[in-house]
Amino acid sequence: MSYRELATRPVLAWSAVSVAARLPVAMAPLALVFLVREQPGGYTLGAVLAAAYVVGEIVAAPVLGVRMDAERARPQLAVGLAVGAAAFGGLGAAGGGAHPVLLGALAFLAGAGPSAAPGGMRALLTSLVPERAVTQAMSMESVLTFAIWAAAPALTTGLALGVEPVVPLLLQAALMALSVAGLWLLPYGWAAEKPQEGESMRRVLLRAWPVYVTGAAGLTLLALAELILPALLEQRHIAVGWAGPLLAGFSVGSAVGAFAYGLRGSWPGRLPVQSAVLLAGVTAGVALTAVLPSTAGIAVALAAAGLLQAPAGLTRNLALRQVLPPGALAAGYSVMYAAVGAGYAASGTLAGGLLNVVAPSTAILCGVGLTVFLTALGVWGERRIPPREGGETTQTEAARKVRR
């Protein structure tokens, strides 16, 4: 199936709702920093608010995802997005001069409320297309996500500096409220299998723990690329201003990689093998940035890492479809969302601590070591996951069944 066949009214409606729901999420950390940067200790407070927002996402995503009823997903998605819209609106109305505790609580709610929406929306998307088109649909979603994350920093910075610091938050509130209304263009939910008798949702989700671990491994590399790059450029005596274009190259590479992965309905090898190979390539690319001396070399290494990073994430989401029944997919995607967020936070914390005692290049290599460990642990565990009855073991087998 080609990308052209995804151009249906339900998928286009889903895309519009997804942009309205996800753009506020992509804008949030930087918007929170700009909101309070002119206050005493503003940058420190901004970092704390951004951390509160991320903690809200990590804590709430698995909790809300597990409680989502696949066949009645719309009301739950609407409530979560409405809470997020209200919290963003509250941050904009309060302004940077409000009490830090109030701002922290609102930031936490802004992250927690819509945290199950990415998983629910992904499960809803795959229900809108035939089984043979799932890879293309997920690739399209990944391209859309990277485009959103590429545009969000420029949009946030332009509004905060060119108009007022509260404007990005108010826009985020309006967009998320619009996504709530847009949900009524989409189905009420999706068909789901009932869990086997005596098997709890928690146990079903825990079965997929290796997939979550390898998903987290991929985001540890992204954290290294984003958070240590400015310090690495200073170490190489390269202008720090190059950090933006270099990270943009990583994002562009990721979008291209996601699109290319979806051009084929299936790729050789089982999904765990594909994931391990792709993560090894991303790891090599990020490691090269720690040792290459020139701007051009770092740019090529980051672009190559980005080209492989998005397909690696796609293999993890596709793997969840093999391990989990349809009724647990939204919860599984939400747990994955929390896991990759935790991986990002853990790598960022490790790197930040290491920068106090070692050179940036060494900090990157230590983070690469953490990624290698997580990848090996995930691959080892995934080999021991019993196949789900009725699940596919490879993309090739799925394509073969469709042809029959």
Side-chain angles (χ1 to χ4, degrees):
M1 185 173 183
S2 68
Y3 281 111
R4 186 180 302 174
E5 294 179 83
L6 293 178
T8 63
R9 179 175 293 182
V11 173
L12 293 176
W14 179 93
S15 300
V17 175
S18 183
V19 169
R22 294 189 183 189
L23 184 55
V25 174
M27 294 172 63
L30 191 56
L32 290 169
V33 171
F34 277 119
L35 180 67
V36 297
R37 76 183 186 95
E38 296 182 357
Q39 306 299 319
Y43 283 111
T44 300
L45 176 58
V48 171
L49 294 180
Y53 176 85
V54 173
V55 169
E57 288 186 304
I58 294 173
V59 171
V63 175
L64 298 179
V66 168
R67 295 176 179 273
M68 185 171 293
D69 183 350
E71 296 179 348
R72 302 183 68 258
R74 184 198 289 165
Q76 293 165 279
L77 289 172
V79 170
L81 290 168
V83 170
F88 281 126
L91 285 164
H99 195 282
V101 173
L102 173 62
L103 295 177
L106 288 172
F108 181 90
L109 281 177
S115 60
M121 290 292 288
R122 181 176 297 125
L124 190 58
L125 171 64
T126 56
S127 74
L128 295 175
V129 300
E131 183 66 27
R132 69 181 184 275
V134 167
T135 298
Q136 284 80 9
M138 285 195 171
S139 296
M140 180 273 292
E141 180 204 21
S142 185
V143 172
L144 189 66
T145 299
F146 278 108
I148 289 170
W149 281 88
L155 178 61
T156 304
T157 302
L159 291 175
L161 298 181
V163 189
E164 291 289 340
V166 300
V167 172
L169 277 306
L170 297 176
L171 175 62
Q172 289 165 259
L175 286 172
M176 199 159 276
L178 186 62
S179 73
V180 175
L183 286 174
W184 269 256
L185 299 173
L186 304 177
Y188 199 70
W190 59 92
E193 298 175 4
K194 293 183 179 180
Q196 296 181 9
E197 187 175 351
E199 189 173 32
S200 67
M201 177 66 77
R202 187 184 302 274
R203 185 169 182 176
V204 170
L205 293 174
L206 285 176
R207 183 188 306 152
W209 71 264
V211 185
Y212 308 137
V213 170
T214 47
L219 263 288
T220 61
L221 293 168
L222 181 59
L224 293 175
E226 289 186 342
L227 301 178
I228 305 185
L229 184 59
L232 178 68
L233 294 178
E234 287 189 345
Q235 180 187 357
R236 296 281 183 264
H237 304 291
I238 300 170
V240 178
W242 277 104
L246 290 172
L247 290 174
F250 182 94
S251 296
V252 171
S254 296
V256 172
F259 181 81
Y261 188 83
L263 286 176
R264 293 184 56 169
S266 63
W267 289 85
R270 297 174 63 248
L271 287 171
V273 176
Q274 293 181 27
S275 178
V277 171
L278 290 166
L279 283 173
V282 182
T283 302
V286 174
L288 281 174
T289 65
V291 297
L292 292 174
S294 67
T295 307
I298 294 173
V300 172
L302 282 177
L307 188 70
L308 300 177
Q309 199 270 341
L314 284 168
T315 62
R316 301 298 76 213
N317 288 323
L318 289 168
L320 283 180
R321 290 176 55 81
Q322 293 183 354
V323 177
L324 301 178
L329 280 177
Y333 292 141
S334 295
V335 173
M336 176 70 84
Y337 187 73
V340 298
Y344 187 99
S347 181
T349 302
L350 172 65
L354 288 173
L355 283 177
N356 294 322
V357 294
V358 299
S361 56
T362 305
I364 288 180
L365 294 176
C366 290
V368 165
L370 173 62
T371 300
V372 171
F373 169 75
L374 291 176
T375 301
L377 178 63
V379 170
W380 173 83
E382 201 160 353
R383 291 173 62 89
R384 286 156 177 77
I385 298 179
R388 181 175 67 86
E389 184 178 351
E392 305 298 337
T393 56
T394 67
Q395 291 174 291
T396 305
E397 291 174 5
R400 188 182 302 123
K401 286 194 172 185
V402 170
R403 287 195 295 269
R404 290 176 183 170

